[in-house]
Amino acid sequence: MMFAAQPIVSNSKPGLYDELAQQARGLLHGESSLIANAANFAALVWHALPELNWCGFYLYDGRELVVGPFQGRPACVRIALGRGVCGLAAQSRETQVVRDVNAFSDHIACDAASQSEIVVPLIQRDGSLLGVWDVDSPRPARFDDEDRAGMEALCAVFMESLD
Ligand code: SME
């Protein structure tokens, strides 16, 4: 079945994330392949949210984070737990919102255009780490608490699709 992404009509951030979560549910429905759903999820968000220069997954291989499906420029392949914003989100298991990546001492710059970043940890039902969802913007302070809530809700839709 073809999935036709609908134009987002909401003009509030929470409304936009609600619409996007609904679209993600439709897009991922009936499929539980990790790679397929991760790839489609990244493409959906990339085309729906303004001011992004990278969005995608880092998947935990049992030792470190390894880049997975994404949109944007080629990225760093492996990130150790605890390193960079991604490694911190994975280790702390808490969403990291970085308003200015230049002020974050351990930021790993894959693309010099990135100015702000949000990273959501992806925890499976059994408590194990699947990886992280990483979104970068060329605009400083692009992400706030509404993005944190919205991205966490979106990631919950993604995680449910894998059950
Ligand atoms: N900036 C991230 C690395 C991944 S890329 O931005 C795609 C970090 O510090 O973890």
Side-chain angles (χ1 to χ4, degrees):
M1 257 259 255
M2 271 296 291
F3 171 83
Q6 301 298 312
I8 302 272
V9 294
S10 179
N11 49 21
S12 78
K13 226 184 235 190
L16 184 154
Y17 278 107
D18 280 351
E19 285 184 57
L20 203 45
Q22 221 172 330
Q23 293 198 8
R25 240 175 249 116
L27 177 63
L28 308 181
H29 178 76
E31 180 54 66
S32 62
S33 157
L34 170 62
I35 298 300
N37 286 0
N40 266 336
F41 184 89
L44 178 75
V45 173
W46 176 254
H47 287 282
L49 294 185
E51 299 180 297
L52 307 186
N53 65 304
W54 201 88
C55 72
F57 292 86
Y58 277 89
L59 300 172
Y60 184 55
D61 72 354
R63 216 168 64 90
E64 55 194 354
L65 298 170
V66 184
V67 76
F70 68 91
Q71 300 276 311
R73 291 189 194 281
C76 330
V77 175
R78 290 175 184 272
I79 299 176
L81 289 192
R83 291 300 318 278
V85 186
C86 291
L88 178 61
Q91 198 171 52
S92 67
R93 296 181 166 224
E94 274 176 19
T95 299
Q96 303 296 318
V97 178
V98 178
R99 294 169 59 84
D100 177 3
V101 296
N102 303 301
F104 185 91
S105 58
D106 195 29
H107 175 250
I108 301 165
C110 293
D111 182 344
S114 297
Q115 296 298 318
S116 59
E117 177 166 10
I118 181 168
V119 183
V120 181
L122 304 172
I123 309 300
Q124 304 182 92
R125 281 199 199 285
D126 66 0
S128 61
L129 177 71
L130 177 70
V132 300
W133 166 245
D134 176 16
V135 186
D136 293 4
S137 172
R139 180 160 75 77
R142 160 71 178 78
F143 306 105
D144 59 17
D145 277 342
E146 289 182 342
D147 294 283
R148 180 197 302 264
M151 291 287 187
E152 287 178 349
L154 267 180
C155 286
V157 171
F158 171 72
M159 293 303 287
E160 279 162 22
S161 78
L162 305 179
D163 286 346

